[in-house]
Structure formats: C-alpha cells, structure tokens
C-alpha cells in the first residue's frame, strides 16, 4: 500500500457511513411472534459448542429495543445501517407463506431508519438457516438453494418499497466451510465434501435468489453479495509456499468469485479437490445461474492469512477461525497457517490494513464496473467501562483510522468504493465465542442492556458527520 503522508482527506459526499449487525447476534426474542429455531439456536444450545454456553436467546434484545437503537444510530450520525433478516422469523419452516408479524418487524425497522435518513441495507442470509431445512439436508442439499430463492421473493415483496440495498448472502465461506467443514459454526458438521457441496449450493442460492429479487423489486434496487475474501500471503517466496497460497486462494476466494464473476469454477480448485469429489453435484447451467449481474460487491475484511507448505505437520493448524480437530480447508492438509508478527486484536487476529487495500484493488479489477462496499470491518478489544462509566477504546480508533486510510488509498488508485460499514454497531453474540468478544462501537452491558457509545463510536460519528478522516490518533 502506498505510504505517503496524506493530509486529512474528504470522502465523497454521498459515501455511506454505516454500521452492521446480524439478526441472531442482536435480536433475541427467539421464541416470539412465530419464530422457530434456526441452526444457530440448536447449535448454541448444544453443550460445549459456545463459550460459557452462551446463546442468542436475548442477545442485545434489539427486537424489543429497535426504536431506541435506531435513535442511537442517528446520534452517531450514521447514514446507513446493515442488518440481516432472520429467515426463521419470516418463514419459520423454510417453506411456504411468510409470517406477517416477522415481516412487520423489518418493515418497522426500515421505516424507523428512513425517518432518520439512514439508508437500510438488508442482508437476507447471515447464517441462521431454519432448523427444518437443515434437518432436510441443509446447504449440502440442492433443494436449500431453491428454498432460499422462495424466501428471497417473500422478503422482496414485503420490503421492496422501503429498501434499495439488498445482499443475498453474508460470508458464504463461513456458512460452508466453518459450518460443514471444521464444525466451529452451526450446524457443526465436519465433512469436507459436504462443505464443498454447501459452497456450491450457496453460489446457486445467490444466483436463484438474485433472480427472485429482480423479479420482485423495483428497478432502483441494487443487489449484491457480501464475501469475506482472504488475503493469502505465502510465508516465503518459495514455489511450495506460493502454491500453498494458490490452493487456499482457490478455497477461500475463487470457489465463490469463479462462478459469481466468471460463470465457472476454477480448474485448479477442481483439480486440487478431485480426490474428494468429482463435483457432479454441479448441474449443467448452475454456474451460469450463479453468474448474475452484481450491482454491488460487499467486502468483509479483518485480517490476512499467511500460509506455507508443511507436508509433515499432522497437528490441527490454527487459521484464526476457532479450535477444531477438523480443518475447514478441504484437500489442504499440506498447508500450514502462521500468525504474522505484530499487533493483534482480542480475537488473536493480526492488525494489517494493507490487506484491505489489496482486496479493494483486487476486486476493483476482477469486478470492473461493480461498486464496492466494505460491508464489515472492525476489531474486538476487551472494552470495559471506567469508573465514570465511559468506555475508552483507543486501539479501536487506531484500527479504524488505519483501515479507513487504506480505503482512501484504494480509492485514490481507482477502486470504486461507495461505503463503509463498521462491524459492529454494538457488542453482540460473537457466535462460538459467545459474549466474550466485543466488536461494538457501542458497549452493551448484557445484564442491564444499557448501551454506552465507546470513544471509538464518538470518533466514528465525527468522521461520518464531516466526511473527513482526521490525522492519525496520537
Ligand atoms: O461477528 C462476525 C460477523 O457475524 C461476520 N463477520 C465476522 C464478524 C466478526 O467475527
């Protein structure tokens, strides 16, 4: 990343300054208004799956505190809010008609946002598959992609008059490879072939879902997907380490961008995994279906991956995605993951804003003409209120400053970035880590549900108000 000292620079006046959450991480109210269990309810209620046995039963109680939370967003000068719809709240069994009370919640949320000039950005799937669909085979089963398209159509009919920014899937890599490969996410299966089948059916679901959205939404709607592409760096320039990086790039990135951006799975991915599967679950026309026009591409970025060729290593390799004896990376047993030196967040993830710059430049080139949004970026730190009740988190301010600087650099070299969504609006249920990891710009006391903007939240509010990134924090 170019490292010249730039003066404080102004972002475009229509740049979206947002924050993001996801339904199961914030809503709570898991048994209300007809909602049924999702795979995350089942998983989090299974002993030993989450830290402290934490669940999303109450989470941030956002379902009941919606209006106050939107007021808080306005107080933080946000101009956009990215939320996800809970599939089992809207279509409890994953089939058939929608539940009106579920849809009403999201219509009211969109109305509250619009009343405050906050652009709603809706994600259809942020990992909470209705349990009934998992019982019928989950994402490794082809039918789930068709069920997703039906659900997408229902939500589009109900919210198309209010919401312009639509995202089909959030981080399908996690759904496929952490959910069905390493098992550190719901539904907790550990089968590499199931993970590859899931990845394909998620690609198909994106394509079918996009078609269903386009059929139901007004022309002004913009439809895309949020990926969490990996910046994969070889430990050394050796041919073996370079090949290890290529292999992980295929499994992390091109397994999605191949079909989505080019209409075909990459040949090296098919060859790498040939001993596991012949990919006959890909039916004629599927890759073309996945290859729909994108009106936007969401990039979620936290940290890069450093890999090497390590044929003798039999121990589980930590890749920053949680502890499991099963790898999320099919047919990559000879690849080791390394922790880069330097600063880390509370997740153990290294802080490296140059990765965000690289991704924006890469996908600006690979998806020419497609506007980019950073749909997630942020950091967990061990934030605690001080004696006076305020929460000071200078590390997060430094993290945000460095990453927004990387965004500016990427824009200066031509990346068409239209918005930034800080992960997350508030501390919430961090999946297998339960409530032990705090990503919020707003502190949540989970015993009282009191929300307290952190100093980073106030800092970000000022950037959002002025559109100017100040000089580096002292
Ligand atoms: O909390 C998650 C989010 O749900 C998806 N992206 C990564 C975040 C931090 O782990």
């Amino acid at each position: 990343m170019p490292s010249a000292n730039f003066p404080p620079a102004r972002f475009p006046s229509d740049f979206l300054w947002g924050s993001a959450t996801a339904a199961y991480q914030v809503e709570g109210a898991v048994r209300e208004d007809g909602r049924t269990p999702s795979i995350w309810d089942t998983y989090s209620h299974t002993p030993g799956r989450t830290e402290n046995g934490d669940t999303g039963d109450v989470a941030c109680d956002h379902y009941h505190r919606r209006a106050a939370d939107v007021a808080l967003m306005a107080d933080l000068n946000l101009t956009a809010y990215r939320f996800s719809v809970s599939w089992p709240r809207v279509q409890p069994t994953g089939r058939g008609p929608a539940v009106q009370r579920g849809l009403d919640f999201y219509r009211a949320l969109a109305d509250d946002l619009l009343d405050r000039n906050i652009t709603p950005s809706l994600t259809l799937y942020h990992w909470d598959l209705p349990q009934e669909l998992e019982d019928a085979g989950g994402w490794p089963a082809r039918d789930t992609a068709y069920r997703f398209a039906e659900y997408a159509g229902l939500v589009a009919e109900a919210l198309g008059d209010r919401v312009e920014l639509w995202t089909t899937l959030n981080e399908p890599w996690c759904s496929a490879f952490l959910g069905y490969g390493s098992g550190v996410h719901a539904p907790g299966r550990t089968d590499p072939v199931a993970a590859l089948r899931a990845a394909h059916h998620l690609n198909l679901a994106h394509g079918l879902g996009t078609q269903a959205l386009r059929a139901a939404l007004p022309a002004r709607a913009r439809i895309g997907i949020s990926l969490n592409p990996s910046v994969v760096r070889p430990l050394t320039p050796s041919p073996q380490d370079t090949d290890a990086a290529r292999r992980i790039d295929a499994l992390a990135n091109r397994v999605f961008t191949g079909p989505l951006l080019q209409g075909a799975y990459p040949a090296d991915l098919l060859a790498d995994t040939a001993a596991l599967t012949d990919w006959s679950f890909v039916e004629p026309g599927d890759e073309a279906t996945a290859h729909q026009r994108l009106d936007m591409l969401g990039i979620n970025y936290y940290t890069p991956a450093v890999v090497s060729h390590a044929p003798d290593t039999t121990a589980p390799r930590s890749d920053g995605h949680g502890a499991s004896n099963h790898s999320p990376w099919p047919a990559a047993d000879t690849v080791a993951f390394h922790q880069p030196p330097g600063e880390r967040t509370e997740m153990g993830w290294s802080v490296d804003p140059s990765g965000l710059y690289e991704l924006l430049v890469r996908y600006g080139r690979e998806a020419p003409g497609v506007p980019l949004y950073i749909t997630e970026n942020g950091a967990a730190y061990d934030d605690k209120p001080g004696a006076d009740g305020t929460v000071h988190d200078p590390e997060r301010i430094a993290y945000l400053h460095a990453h927004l600087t990387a965004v500016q650099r990427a824009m200066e070299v031509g990346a068409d970035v239209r918005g930034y969504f800080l992960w997350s609006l508030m501390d919430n249920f961090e999946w297998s880590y339960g409530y032990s990891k705090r990503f919020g710009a707003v502190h949540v006391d989970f015993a009282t549900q009191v929300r307290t903007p952190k100093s980073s939240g106030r800092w970000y509010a000022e950037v959002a108000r002025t559109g100017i990134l100040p000089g580096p924090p002292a």
Side-chain angles (χ1 to χ4, degrees):
M1 177 168 84
S3 61
N5 273 330
F6 285 78
R10 187 179 287 279
F11 282 80
S13 57
D14 57 355
F15 192 86
L16 288 184
W17 293 102
S19 71
T21 63
Y24 190 69
Q25 294 182 271
V26 297
E27 284 180 5
V30 293
R31 288 176 205 85
E32 287 180 43
D33 294 339
R35 185 188 180 282
T36 56
S38 75
I39 54 176
W40 266 100
D41 294 272
T42 308
Y43 187 86
S44 64
H45 279 270
T46 303
R49 289 298 203 181
T50 65
E51 219 161 302
N52 302 314
D54 289 344
T55 73
D57 285 6
V58 178
C60 305
D61 195 30
H62 172 68
Y63 192 70
H64 299 119
R65 295 166 194 262
R66 184 199 78 234
D69 285 341
V70 174
L72 185 57
M73 294 174 215
D75 182 45
L76 293 176
N77 304 320
L78 300 186
T79 56
Y81 175 56
R82 174 173 180 252
F83 61 95
S84 79
V85 172
S86 162
W87 190 345
R89 199 181 284 295
V90 159
Q91 195 191 32
T93 63
R95 300 168 197 281
V99 169
Q100 192 56 45
R101 283 167 301 173
L103 290 172
D104 286 346
F105 171 75
Y106 297 104
R107 289 166 66 94
L109 173 60
D111 286 344
D112 287 349
L113 292 167
L114 292 169
D115 282 350
R116 296 188 180 261
N117 292 320
I118 300 172
T119 300
S121 170
L122 183 155
T123 298
L124 283 165
Y125 186 72
H126 197 127
W127 308 351
D128 43 0
L129 187 71
Q131 182 61 43
E132 280 206 25
L133 291 186
E134 173 59 23
D135 296 343
W139 285 111
R142 185 176 178 86
D143 188 55
T144 304
Y146 292 89
R147 301 279 62 76
F148 176 77
E150 183 183 82
Y151 156 68
L154 294 175
V155 180
E157 293 288 349
L159 282 111
D161 56 347
R162 292 159 162 83
V163 176
E164 282 186 30
L165 287 179
W166 291 75
T167 302
T168 53
L169 307 173
N170 180 70
E171 300 182 359
W173 184 86
C174 297
S175 300
F177 295 99
L178 300 182
Y180 295 91
S182 65
V184 299
H185 277 193
R189 289 206 243 163
T190 54
D191 172 355
V193 178
L196 293 170
R197 292 177 65 98
H200 175 60
H201 295 137
L202 285 154
N203 284 329
L204 183 61
H206 164 77
L208 294 168
T210 300
Q211 289 173 340
L213 292 177
R214 288 228 159 87
L217 292 174
R220 66 174 188 279
R222 282 169 285 158
I223 303 167
I225 185 168
S226 286
L227 302 176
N228 56 323
S230 282
V231 176
V232 191
R233 298 183 174 144
L235 184 66
T236 74
S238 73
Q240 291 94 333
D241 288 358
T242 304
D243 193 61
R246 175 205 58 72
R247 185 178 283 259
I248 297 302
D249 181 57
L251 287 165
N253 303 327
R254 291 180 288 116
V255 64
F256 300 107
T257 54
L260 264 46
L261 301 180
Q262 282 143 25
Y265 283 103
D268 62 330
L269 171 72
L270 304 184
D272 288 346
T273 53
L276 288 174
T277 174
D278 61 3
W279 289 73
S280 53
F281 48 82
V282 180
E283 297 190 4
D286 282 3
E287 290 153 295
T289 301
H291 186 201
Q292 298 294 314
R293 185 187 88 233
L294 287 175
D295 303 320
M296 58 80 74
L297 178 60
I299 303 285
N300 296 357
Y301 173 76
Y302 293 89
T303 192
V306 177
V307 300
S308 70
H309 179 65
D312 301 330
T313 308
T314 50
R317 291 117 192 264
S318 169
D319 61 1
H321 291 109
S324 169
N325 291 328
H326 300 269
S327 168
W329 306 102
D333 299 342
T334 57
V335 179
F337 287 76
H338 301 268
Q339 181 62 252
E343 199 189 328
R344 298 185 199 178
T345 70
E346 193 65 14
M347 296 294 282
W349 297 345
S350 75
V351 176
D352 187 346
S354 70
L356 180 55
Y357 172 87
E358 282 176 36
L359 287 181
L360 295 172
V361 172
R362 173 177 178 175
Y363 290 104
R365 289 190 186 129
E366 291 192 14
V370 179
L372 303 176
Y373 290 80
I374 294 110
T375 40
E376 287 184 25
N377 177 238
Y381 290 107
D382 186 18
D383 308 310
K384 294 189 180 75
D388 61 355
T390 59
V391 184
H392 290 295
D393 55 344
E395 310 94 332
R396 187 173 286 101
I397 295 177
Y399 182 101
L400 295 175
H401 184 276
H403 286 77
L404 284 167
T405 303
V407 175
Q408 279 190 333
R409 302 282 192 275
M411 292 170 77
E412 280 157 8
V413 297
D416 181 10
V417 185
R418 305 284 182 91
Y420 176 92
F421 291 80
L422 190 165
W423 185 271
S424 176
L425 171 68
M426 54 189 160
D427 298 335
N428 57 48
F429 176 75
E430 177 55 24
W431 308 112
S432 305
Y433 296 91
Y435 297 97
S436 69
K437 301 287 184 265
R438 294 180 175 273
F439 275 91
V442 173
H443 180 273
V444 177
D445 178 331
F446 292 106
T448 60
Q449 292 294 345
V450 168
R451 277 92 158 119
T452 308
K454 303 175 188 176
S455 46
S456 63
R458 294 290 173 212
W459 179 90
Y460 186 62
E462 196 54 15
V463 177
R465 186 183 69 79
T466 58
I468 295 175
L469 189 60

